[in-house]
Amino acid sequence: MNTDDETRRRLLELLDDARTFDELERSFRSRIGTAPSPLLDGALRFVEAGDPSGLDPELEERFAQVLSRFVESRRALELAGKLEAGDTAERG
């Protein structure tokens, strides 16, 4: 059984290792069946539906960094913008 810390570490590794948005989405999906966790479920829900409610501030920040480098994917940039807009709204 995975601890939250292990799951978080693996999730951050998946984010850092992905070279494309599609690869990132596939890696999340493949992990869901093997090691279900609320953190991973939240990450996949964000990628699929744009719902960041399952992400904590650390994951939101890493997602924004990673997604913004996938300039070939309109969806990735959309999601990065959603996180940035939410961050700006919280500060404003």
Side-chain angles (χ1 to χ4, degrees):
M1 182 173 205
N2 290 332
T3 65
D4 282 345
D5 288 340
E6 287 175 40
T7 301
R8 177 178 301 281
R9 183 183 55 76
R10 288 187 181 154
L11 184 56
L12 293 173
E13 284 176 3
L14 291 175
L15 283 163
D16 290 342
D17 291 346
R19 293 181 304 263
T20 66
F21 180 71
D22 290 338
E23 183 180 315
L24 178 67
E25 189 172 12
R26 280 193 310 270
S27 65
F28 285 167
R29 288 177 192 271
S30 69
R31 287 282 186 184
I32 289 290
T34 60
S37 106
L39 286 174
L40 196 50
D41 290 344
L44 186 59
R45 186 172 52 251
F46 173 64
V47 168
E48 290 181 338
D51 175 7
S53 65
L55 303 177
D56 62 26
E58 179 186 14
L59 288 175
E60 282 188 18
E61 182 178 332
R62 185 67 65 91
F63 259 107
Q65 292 169 355
V66 169
L67 292 172
S68 64
R69 73 175 192 234
F70 298 146
V71 296
E72 78 288 348
S73 170
R74 177 174 283 171
R75 178 68 176 152
L77 296 178
E78 227 173 70
L79 292 172
K82 183 176 274 202
L83 291 175
E84 290 295 323
D87 188 39
T88 303
E90 287 177 12
R91 284 184 276 165

